[in-house]
Amino acid sequence: MTAQTAAVPRDSDLIADSRTEPEAFAVLFDRYSGMLYRYVSRRVGPEIAEDLVGETFLVAFAGRSGYDLSYADARPWLFGIVTNLISRHRRTEAAHYRALQRSPIEDVAQSDDDRVAAGVTARAARPLLARALAGLAARDRNVLLLVAWSDLSYEEVAQALGVPIGTVRSRLNRARRKVRSVLGDSNPMREEN
Amino acid sequence: MDDLKMLRDLGRSLEHEPPPSLVRQRQRLLEGARPRRRVPRLMRGWGLIGLAAVVTAAAIVVPTMIVHPRSEKAPVTDPAARPVASEELNLLVLGVDRRIPVSVVGGPDKLGARSDTMMLVHMPADRKKITVVSVPRDTMVQIPACKDAHGTGIPTHLGLVNSAFTEGGASCAEKTVESMTGVRIDHVLEVQFAGLKNIVNALGGVEITLPKAVKDKDAGLDMPAGRHLVKGDEALAYVRARHNLGDGSDLSRIERQQQFLGSMFKKAKSELTDPARMYAFLRESSKAIKTTPALGVREIAGIAQSLAGVEARDFDFVTVPWRPFQPDPNRIELKQPAADKLFTSLGGTPPKRTGKKAR
């Protein structure tokens, strides 16, 4: 039924409405809480993700009057808030990555199937990637992970972090360079031995 | 291997699905949202009144007008002088078809809007029984003196009840029904048919039962017999269609509309248990419904509260007693004394009718 699409309010409509009818904000929650949860769980683990998502929406709600309604899509705004909140949990995030570095490679020795071998490569890279992420400056990591783990475009990442798009590119380049240097050009399989 | 791709793989392996308990954070948001308000607002009222009342109230299309009612600048009488909630309340609900854009209505073409459906909703002070009286649009009645969109006077005349709206707008429809029934109307609700589909969509569709297959090209209906969940244009067509459904008369259509309302009520009751859905529903409703005089936030909250105990079975849907209109068998007129008896039971004081009724 085509009529339905017309009935779907844009994020900015909901935010505008929420200024007089706060319950409208719950619709934003329904739209994006899952997406934010997944992102946060990647960065700091599931233990505090739930709380962080809740906090994100409280902060967003409190700041709704300052939202620029010319942006129909609220995702960059929400990702910006969640990124700020994650930075308050830097130690949790660091511990999350440290735990990854220690996580043992699962025992797959009994199988020599190609698909499994590919999986091993990816798994073997995990401690290295985790180490690389832990070693990045927070601002570089924020850009890198928004680019890699959210669906935001560079422009939206810039919007989320409140920096020019050129800054997004330069931070991304720096972060990727560091990640690559940690990964090295060696085969992670060999490095484990 | 590309570093970004490796990172994405890592991300996927780290990702957790949102747990059901995430809903607690939603609750936190809603709770956090409430006390911040300085002025009591509509939805807060809803929250306090409780869901049952909200749903009930919403479902009878009554307080659905809400949120931002499209107020008419010139109310028929001073709104302050009119009773609201917890007192007897009478609403005139008009199903309106706009044939030209709303902005042009009231302009040169006064035939822009047509009211195809007319219902008088009577809520007695105790709210024990809500009576919904449908007035067939083909009913010939005395239309009192009204003013058209240009302010030009229209003298009293005998005419089709729905022509009152076409000629003199909501206020004239109100006057006409008031003089016909002797029931004082507190608010007129104009429900846009076109907006109805959005209301139905906000509810996730409404269930209907067709006794036999329906194929009506004019109305855009093509459905087999049986139960259907209708949405959007289909719902609209069902409510509006006149052909190939029932006996094709306005009267069978009224019956269908009443059933549809009942079904909508049930659906609303089961669906609107969630503030966000409720909100979407109200949002669409407010766009589709105009109240004259406008109902304010407090009035609506009051009405909702007063309807807390009302269930679907407390609604009484009736059609005004009628008989064929002698000069034109395609039209009907009120059947007396049954009609006046009904109006009196609704607290009305029907006008003294002399000689030939309604002529």
Side-chain angles (χ1 to χ4, degrees), chain B residues 192-269:
Chain B
Q192 299 288 337
F193 268 130
L196 180 72
K197 65 183 179 191
N198 291 337
I199 301 179
V200 172
N201 285 346
L203 282 175
V206 167
E207 196 172 85
I208 59 164
T209 305
L210 292 175
K212 56 176 190 167
V214 172
K215 203 163 188 174
D216 184 345
K217 255 192 220 155
D218 294 345
L221 271 183
D222 184 3
M223 284 186 281
R227 283 186 172 189
H228 299 275
L229 187 72
V230 292
K231 279 188 184 179
D233 293 318
E234 225 170 21
L236 193 58
Y238 175 77
V239 173
R240 204 153 43 172
R242 211 172 166 164
H243 311 288
N244 302 335
L245 274 171
D247 58 8
S249 70
D250 191 38
L251 294 161
S252 80
R253 186 170 69 153
I254 284 173
E255 202 173 300
R256 191 150 24 92
Q257 290 175 346
Q258 291 176 341
Q259 279 165 5
F260 192 81
L261 277 186
S263 184
M264 224 170 125
F265 175 85
K266 274 190 212 132
K267 183 73 191 238
K269 224 168 171 155

Side-chain angles (χ1 to χ4, degrees), chain A residues 121 128 180-191, chain B residues 6:
Chain A
T121 312
L128 289 174
R180 278 197 294 263
S181 81
V182 173
L183 289 174
D185 40 16
S186 63
N187 182 340
M189 276 302 279
R190 213 176 304 146
E191 206 164 286
Chain B
M6 287 172 85

Side-chain angles (χ1 to χ4, degrees), chain B residues 8 61 83 122 124 160 254 275 280 300 311:
Chain B
R8 289 203 178 97
V61 187
H122 171 72
L160 286 176
I254 284 173
I300 290 154
E311 293 284 333

Side-chain angles (χ1 to χ4, degrees), chain A residues 1 3-4 7 9 13 17 20-27 29-30 33-34 37-38 41-42 46 50-51 53-55 57-58 61-62 96 100 125-126 129 133 144 147-149 176 180 183, chain B residues 2-4 6-8 10-19 21-22 24-26 28-30 32-34 36-37 41-43 67-68 197-198 201 231-234 275-276 279 283-284:
Chain A
M1 206 91 345
Q4 253 167 321
D13 295 335
D17 287 346
T20 50
E21 304 299 336
E23 271 72 3
F25 219 80
V27 182
F29 184 94
D30 295 342
S33 60
Y37 183 91
R38 290 188 191 93
S41 71
R42 289 175 176 207
E50 191 175 317
D51 202 53
V53 170
E55 230 177 298
F57 279 96
L58 286 179
F61 180 78
H96 185 55
L100 277 178
R126 275 169 62 143
L129 280 170
L133 287 177
L144 177 66
V147 168
W149 290 352
R176 290 186 65 179
R180 278 197 294 263
L183 289 174
Chain B
D2 177 50
D3 54 309
L4 268 184
M6 287 172 85
L7 257 182
R8 289 203 178 97
L10 173 69
R12 266 191 292 277
S13 74
L14 293 177
E15 186 174 290
H16 288 255
E17 274 303 300
S21 55
L22 191 60
R24 283 192 307 228
Q25 299 301 326
R26 186 183 198 280
R28 189 174 159 204
L29 170 68
L30 288 171
R34 268 173 212 134
R36 276 165 207 268
R37 265 169 283 166
R41 292 198 186 273
L42 172 70
M43 293 302 284
V67 199
H68 312 286
K197 65 183 179 191
N198 291 337
N201 285 346
K231 279 188 184 179
D233 293 318
E234 225 170 21
Y279 174 78
R283 194 174 197 278
E284 289 312 325

Side-chain angles (χ1 to χ4, degrees), chain B residues 24-343:
Chain B
R24 283 192 307 228
Q25 299 301 326
R26 186 183 198 280
Q27 208 47 47
R28 189 174 159 204
L29 170 68
L30 288 171
E31 274 156 21
R34 268 173 212 134
R36 276 165 207 268
R37 265 169 283 166
R38 272 153 283 170
V39 192
R41 292 198 186 273
L42 172 70
M43 293 302 284
R44 182 179 191 178
W46 291 108
L48 294 174
I49 293 158
L51 205 59
V54 171
V55 168
T56 309
I60 52 163
V61 187
V62 176
T64 44
M65 10 29 205
I66 340 208
V67 199
H68 312 286
R70 306 208 161 168
S71 58
E72 189 144 278
K73 270 152 208 131
V76 178
T77 56
D78 178 16
R82 296 181 163 238
V84 281
S86 77
E87 289 172 39
E88 184 184 297
L89 194 63
N90 296 304
L91 306 168
L92 181 64
V93 181
L94 302 173
V96 177
D97 245 337
R98 294 260 184 231
R99 290 296 148 92
I100 52 173
V102 179
S103 56
V104 190
V105 172
D109 186 0
K110 64 178 180 181
L111 295 170
R114 208 172 70 176
S115 86
D116 270 353
T117 299
M118 192 179 254
M119 294 181 185
L120 178 64
V121 180
H122 171 72
M123 303 181 205
D126 64 10
R127 303 283 193 269
K128 286 222 170 100
K129 186 133 215 99
I130 310 291
T131 310
V132 181
V133 184
S134 290
V135 182
R137 64 177 180 189
D138 297 333
T139 312
M140 294 296 286
V141 294
Q142 224 24 263
I143 295 173
C146 292
K147 283 203 163 79
D148 71 11
H150 310 285
T152 315
I154 306 165
T156 306
H157 63 286
L158 184 69
L160 286 176
V161 74
N162 73 340
S163 71
F165 179 81
T166 312
E167 289 165 8
S171 68
C172 191
E174 177 180 4
K175 268 173 110 175
T176 302
V177 175
E178 278 189 349
S179 78
M180 173 176 95
T181 61
V183 173
R184 192 170 67 164
I185 291 161
D186 300 301
H187 297 275
V188 181
L189 275 60
E190 287 171 54
V191 184
Q192 299 288 337
F193 268 130
L196 180 72
K197 65 183 179 191
N198 291 337
I199 301 179
V200 172
N201 285 346
L203 282 175
V206 167
E207 196 172 85
I208 59 164
T209 305
L210 292 175
K212 56 176 190 167
V214 172
K215 203 163 188 174
D216 184 345
K217 255 192 220 155
D218 294 345
L221 271 183
D222 184 3
M223 284 186 281
R227 283 186 172 189
H228 299 275
L229 187 72
V230 292
K231 279 188 184 179
D233 293 318
E234 225 170 21
L236 193 58
Y238 175 77
V239 173
R240 204 153 43 172
R242 211 172 166 164
H243 311 288
N244 302 335
L245 274 171
D247 58 8
S249 70
D250 191 38
L251 294 161
S252 80
R253 186 170 69 153
I254 284 173
E255 202 173 300
R256 191 150 24 92
Q257 290 175 346
Q258 291 176 341
Q259 279 165 5
F260 192 81
L261 277 186
S263 184
M264 224 170 125
F265 175 85
K266 274 190 212 132
K267 183 73 191 238
K269 224 168 171 155
S270 64
E271 286 292 311
L272 301 180
T273 50
D274 173 312
R277 285 228 180 139
M278 184 70 201
Y279 174 78
F281 175 70
L282 294 180
R283 194 174 197 278
E284 289 312 325
S285 303
S286 68
K287 277 193 255 172
I289 300 172
K290 180 170 107 175
T291 60
T292 318
L295 277 166
V297 167
R298 265 180 218 180
E299 292 163 309
I300 290 154
I303 295 171
Q305 196 160 29
S306 76
L307 291 171
V310 177
E311 293 284 333
R313 61 172 178 275
D314 298 327
F315 283 86
D316 207 359
F317 289 103
V318 298
T319 300
V320 90
W322 61 274
R323 64 176 187 191
F325 181 62
Q326 256 111 42
D328 182 348
N330 291 323
R331 310 239 154 118
I332 61 175
E333 64 178 358
L334 299 184
K335 184 176 163 191
Q336 297 300 1
D340 279 354
K341 216 173 133 192
L342 171 69
F343 301 147

